[in-house]
Amino acid sequence: MTAVPPTDPQVRLPRSEAVKVASDYLREPLATEAVQPTSHFSEPAVQILKFHGSYQQDDRDKRQELRQQGLEREFSMMLRTRQPGGQVPALLYRTLAALADRYGNGTLRVTTRQTFQMHGVLKGHLPTVIQEIVRQMGTTLATCGDINRNVMAPPAPFRNRPAYRHAQEYARRLSDLLLPRTRSYYELWIDDQEVEIPVLPELQRLPKIHLDDPVEPLYGNQYLPRKFKCAITVPDDNSVDIYSQDIGLIVVTDAKGNLQGFNILVGGGMGRTHNKEETFPLLAQPLGFAPAAAIETVIQAILAVQRDHGNRQDRRQARMKYLVHTWGIRKFRQVVQDYAGQKLKPWHKIPPFPAGLNYLGWQPQGDGKLFLGLSIANGRIRDTATCQLKTALRLINEQFALPIQLCPTQDLIFTDIDPAWRSKITNILQTHGVPLPDDLSPLTQLAMACPALPTCGLAITESERVFPDVLREVETLWGELGLHDTPLIVRMTGCPNGCARPYLAELGLVGSLPGQYQVWVGASPNGDRLAQVLWEKMPLDGLTQALKPIFTFYKQERYSGERFGDFCQRVGLPRLQQQALASTAAL
Ligand code: SRM
Ligand code: SF4
């Protein structure tokens, strides 16, 4: 892998890098095009728009018809918010829901990184929508693009467990620390020179970490080679899929809950490309431990190492996981220590994480109040004929103004609930047909799918739209075998990019060709082992028939309490494939 420092004059910049440099810190050509009365942006502007939190999309269902009529695509913008640790104040939720109704497609979507996405905003409405979000203390800044994305943390609002509080606090601190410093976002959308960008003490000059760049001392004018993702968790909760992150921090406390520091993991990532063997998902590896006082420096050092040594020539090889993989963790650690000007301490031993947690249903917060976790199918908040989820959430928001925690499983938690409100809230949900978690099988509670068609420009197959049917069929089969109460993590994506983290599912379906899916099995239910491909091309109408012998084998041969993912890993792919073949031959 070639390591290209951002300012190396000898190397001709690929287009994706040149666009960033030419943008004058994320301004042009976006600023010019944003005020033009057009339906969409040019390609370079689209790349810069991402750093402002928006993707240009078009309705792929209508592409062909419009092309036949000689018309242009039906363009609209998707906006993504930044919610460190998934925290959403009640007023911001109200604003986002109203904006989605007025300017979007009427839905909000809870993402797998604990943010909201709003789809279907017309180009001309972008300034109004972004202004309103910022006015209500929200932001879309740097939620997309080659920069640090939303920082995740476990959503459970356990007020009596200090480790959870530390994780949430540091999610916010790291989010602020790694924001871009350019004023372009505010110039373009807010027209307000008064907005203050926090200058953190940690951003004072640190040798090696900071560039000689007056605007972006950490990122420079070329930003990162690729997207960058961080999460913070606590030792007994891997709801954030910590091993899938570029940087994963695990809170370490003393016996009284005082923060000592963080175990640091680096180099995780899911994305891959079909038939490109040099791309693959990777789990993050232990880097070491840093005391709390040093963590900001170490995090910036890691990011700066990726900034300077990540691959800027080939975007498919540009994620930090490939740098860690190519160098090996020892060299990576050495270089990080060199940048940080300090040695990392040894990793604090922690037990393995427990299996896939969710925080659904009514639970005590530990401070006399309750929280309520609601399962949201694919994170999509909308009303249907049978379930008026959007209306129910609006009513709860209006009547009780409850803060929200978004979950990495695309679910949502209402927090700080006075126990006296419980029956009224339950009543609102029931009268609007919103299923309470107890009504849902463990399989439905844990499942997730990415948006794919019709909005995602990269989708090869359907995902969100077909997932309810797929899940129902898998669930029926699972139930027929008497496995109703056994949890199973099922995730689906419309392409190999891995947005719903399917390579960490016990059963992962990954769009491979139109109408066909790879089937991945064998990930550990606690998220510390990747799945493997069982079948390369499976049409959906053959899925349950193909799975039946595998599920039956599991039912018959599993050890007591053994989960499907662990079983598949133990028996191995060849035996699973044999079972499937034997069953086909017997037909
Ligand atoms: Fe993702 C690109 C949706 C989490 C890996 N992802 C996209 C885009 C923006 C398509 C595009 O580039 O044009 C999708 C927009 C679809 C739409 O219509 O809304 C998209 N990704 C999503 C969301 C909404 C999926 C969801 O069901 O919630 C998630 C938004 C997270 C957020 O709030 O920031 C989302 N994406 C992820 C994750 C999971 C995670 O971060 O924990 C991954 C795998 C982890 C990782 O990054 O390795 C992920 N998305 C990708 C990739 C592949 C990156 C790679 O390293 O190869 C792409 C494509 C790319 O970057 O080139 C991508
Ligand atoms: Fe789109 Fe692929 Fe991500 Fe699904 S996994 S949202 S199809 S990029």
Side-chain angles (χ1 to χ4, degrees):
M1 188 193 306
T2 38
V4 183
T7 48
D8 187 343
Q10 303 305 314
V11 181
R12 195 167 164 266
L13 290 180
R15 204 174 142 68
S16 55
E17 291 295 309
V19 166
K20 289 182 270 183
V21 175
S23 74
D24 182 22
Y25 299 100
L26 312 179
R27 290 183 175 84
E28 292 297 347
L30 183 64
T32 303
E33 293 184 26
V35 291
Q36 290 168 348
T38 51
S39 63
H40 62 284
F41 292 100
S42 68
E43 192 44 38
V46 165
Q47 295 315 321
I48 301 306
L49 178 67
K50 291 182 187 175
F51 289 82
H52 295 242
S54 180
Y55 284 82
Q56 178 162 293
Q57 303 186 318
D58 69 286
D59 186 338
R60 292 184 57 186
D61 286 347
K62 297 190 181 152
R63 261 189 205 177
Q64 200 183 357
E65 193 189 325
L66 291 169
R67 198 183 312 125
Q68 280 163 358
Q69 293 172 9
L71 298 172
E72 74 170 23
R73 293 177 181 184
E74 195 175 285
F75 290 104
S76 67
M77 310 299 144
M78 173 268 272
L79 275 164
R80 191 181 282 164
T81 64
R82 173 174 285 264
Q83 318 292 160
Q87 289 190 28
V88 186
L91 193 56
L92 181 59
Y93 178 75
R94 194 173 305 171
T95 304
L96 292 172
L99 288 170
D101 277 344
R102 179 132 190 230
Y103 298 106
N105 68 0
T107 75
L108 281 178
R109 196 168 186 285
V110 184
T111 74
T112 54
R113 290 195 72 77
Q114 301 176 281
T115 75
F116 275 123
Q117 277 191 186
M118 187 186 297
H119 289 93
V121 177
L122 295 179
K123 174 174 176 269
H125 291 147
L126 269 182
T128 312
V129 176
I130 296 179
Q131 269 165 34
E132 199 49 33
I133 292 173
V134 173
R135 211 166 276 143
Q136 299 306 337
M137 311 304 285
T139 185
T140 64
L141 176 60
T143 51
C144 321
D146 297 339
I147 198 157
N148 180 54
R149 307 290 188 89
N150 194 51
V151 181
M152 298 171 73
F158 294 134
R159 309 291 188 220
N160 56 347
R161 294 180 58 183
Y164 278 86
R165 281 205 318 271
H166 298 314
Q168 282 289 336
E169 183 201 329
Y170 273 81
R172 181 157 291 283
R173 284 174 72 150
L174 292 193
S175 175
D176 287 350
L177 180 72
L178 303 181
L179 277 176
R181 304 285 134 184
T182 170
R183 294 200 67 88
S184 55
Y185 181 74
Y186 303 100
E187 285 168 21
L188 253 81
W189 310 111
I190 319 297
D191 195 21
D192 182 356
Q193 294 299 314
E194 297 305 305
V195 177
E196 259 187 53
I197 301 178
V199 179
L200 301 165
E202 297 80 13
L203 275 181
Q204 284 154 10
R205 181 155 302 280
L206 292 166
K208 287 243 181 194
I209 297 180
H210 289 140
L211 300 166
D212 192 13
D213 186 310
V215 180
E216 297 282 14
L218 184 56
Y219 287 110
N221 69 348
Q222 213 168 329
Y223 294 86
L224 293 179
R226 204 65 164 86
K227 55 175 65 167
F228 196 82
K229 299 182 172 178
C230 303
I232 307 178
T233 196
V234 302
D236 51 359
D237 183 330
N238 191 20
S239 51
V240 298
D241 275 336
I242 199 81
Y243 292 100
S244 69
Q245 313 286 331
D246 290 84
I247 301 182
L249 300 183
I250 305 168
V251 168
V252 176
T253 60
D254 65 16
K256 289 185 177 157
N258 298 314
L259 182 65
Q260 302 294 290
F262 299 89
N263 275 342
I264 306 168
L265 293 156
V266 289
M270 297 278 98
R272 44 179 283 280
T273 307
H274 289 311
N275 306 318
K276 299 252 182 261
E277 297 306 316
E278 68 280 16
T279 67
F280 35 82
L282 277 170
L283 293 183
Q285 306 177 49
L287 185 74
F289 170 89
I295 195 66
E296 269 111 348
T297 303
V298 173
I299 294 291
Q300 289 181 81
I302 297 169
L303 187 140
V305 170
Q306 159 69 355
R307 175 197 69 202
D308 295 350
H309 300 279
N311 190 330
R312 289 186 186 263
Q313 294 298 307
D314 178 359
R315 277 184 79 74
R316 284 194 206 284
Q317 290 289 308
R319 291 294 295 271
M320 193 174 81
K321 66 180 178 181
Y322 296 116
L323 184 63
V324 176
H325 182 73
T326 311
W327 277 3
I329 192 72
R330 286 179 66 151
K331 175 171 176 190
F332 190 85
R333 185 181 296 118
Q334 267 167 17
V335 181
V336 167
Q337 291 180 156
D338 185 27
Y339 270 65
Q342 53 191 285
K343 263 188 138 16
L344 289 164
K345 305 217 166 358
W347 173 270
H348 280 227
K349 271 212 153 130
I350 49 168
F353 288 108
L357 298 175
N358 64 42
Y359 293 103
L360 301 179
W362 289 97
Q363 298 192 39
Q365 273 186 188
D367 60 354
K369 300 215 166 160
L370 301 174
F371 70 82
L372 170 64
L374 291 175
S375 172
I376 303 186
N378 306 319
R380 186 73 70 175
I381 299 177
R382 65 168 163 209
D383 284 349
T384 64
T386 51
C387 172
Q388 289 82 55
L389 174 69
K390 184 169 85 169
T391 306
L393 298 189
R394 179 175 54 74
L395 292 173
I396 293 171
N397 177 284
E398 283 169 7
Q399 291 180 34
F400 303 100
L402 299 171
I404 286 174
Q405 276 288 155
L406 303 179
C407 305
T409 42
Q410 303 171 321
D411 300 320
L412 170 158
I413 298 173
F414 280 120
T415 71
D416 300 333
I417 307 175
D418 187 323
W421 301 340
R422 180 172 174 157
S423 61
K424 280 191 184 155
I425 292 172
T426 306
N427 189 36
I428 293 176
L429 293 168
Q430 282 173 341
T431 51
H432 290 83
V434 179
L436 286 169
D438 283 351
D439 307 331
L440 302 170
S441 70
L443 201 132
T444 304
Q445 290 183 7
L446 295 167
M448 51 188 195
C450 75
L453 296 168
T455 51
C456 178
L458 305 177
I460 301 170
T461 60
E462 294 281 354
S463 179
E464 179 181 340
R465 293 195 293 197
V466 297
F467 195 54
D469 288 342
V470 173
L471 201 59
R472 203 170 304 120
E473 285 182 21
V474 173
E475 195 172 5
T476 306
L477 176 62
W478 195 246
E480 280 167 6
L481 294 168
L483 295 165
H484 313 80
D485 299 327
T486 309
L488 176 71
I489 301 174
V490 187
R491 296 177 180 174
M492 181 183 230
T493 58
C495 86
N497 282 324
C499 297
R501 301 186 289 270
Y503 312 116
L504 286 170
E506 289 176 280
L507 176 63
L509 304 171
V510 174
S512 52
L513 288 171
Q516 310 227 31
Y517 295 77
Q518 285 183 327
V519 179
W520 290 67
V521 296
S524 54
N526 71 356
D528 67 3
R529 185 183 61 239
L530 290 168
Q532 301 175 66
V533 192
L534 179 62
W535 296 304
E536 286 287 349
K537 287 168 201 148
M538 174 64 65
L540 285 183
D541 56 9
L543 180 67
T544 42
Q545 201 187 332
L547 283 175
K548 192 168 179 178
I550 308 282
F551 283 178
T552 309
F553 185 35
Y554 165 63
K555 158 96 179 167
Q556 289 164 350
E557 303 279 328
R558 68 183 165 155
Y559 295 149
S560 165
E562 189 178 31
R563 291 277 297 260
F564 181 69
D566 291 333
F567 170 80
C568 292
Q569 168 71 13
R570 174 169 65 80
V571 300
L573 291 181
R575 278 189 75 196
L576 294 174
Q577 277 150 353
Q578 254 171 27
Q579 287 294 319
L581 274 178
S583 137
T584 320
L587 285 178

